[in-house]
Amino acid sequence: MRTITTSAHLEPDTTARLSVFAPTPEDEGFISLRVGGEFVDLALIARPGTADALRALARVAEEAAATLDRIAETAPEGAA
């Protein structure tokens, strides 16, 4: 991954979408995974050969979601 550091808060209405850019004679093709909301739109561009990095990201995202579920289950009433 090339270097950039930024932060944004995920909100319940955050969207995610996948766009596929098919190979052409001049390019091998790529995908764009966009996560966005009202003010922020993050685009992850991935080319062939980077599928394992996306799979690792998906695993960590699933772990993060499960952790948030556990936090919500143990939060005092009205805090989550």
Side-chain angles (χ1 to χ4, degrees):
M1 182 169 207
R2 296 196 174 113
T3 302
I4 185 170
T5 301
T6 188
S7 66
H9 289 257
L10 291 177
E11 297 293 336
D13 64 346
T14 298
T15 61
R17 64 187 182 280
L18 171 68
S19 299
V20 179
F21 297 85
T24 66
E26 298 83 30
D27 185 72
E28 62 187 347
F30 62 96
I31 61 96
S32 169
L33 176 60
R34 298 181 81 88
V35 179
E38 188 174 344
F39 300 110
V40 176
D41 198 26
L42 169 68
L44 298 174
I45 307 299
R47 296 200 174 274
T50 61
D52 285 344
L54 282 176
R55 287 186 188 98
L57 176 62
R59 282 190 298 273
V60 171
E62 280 293 330
E63 182 180 343
T67 301
L68 286 174
D69 289 340
R70 285 193 300 276
I71 290 170
E73 291 169 1
T74 60
E77 186 74 28

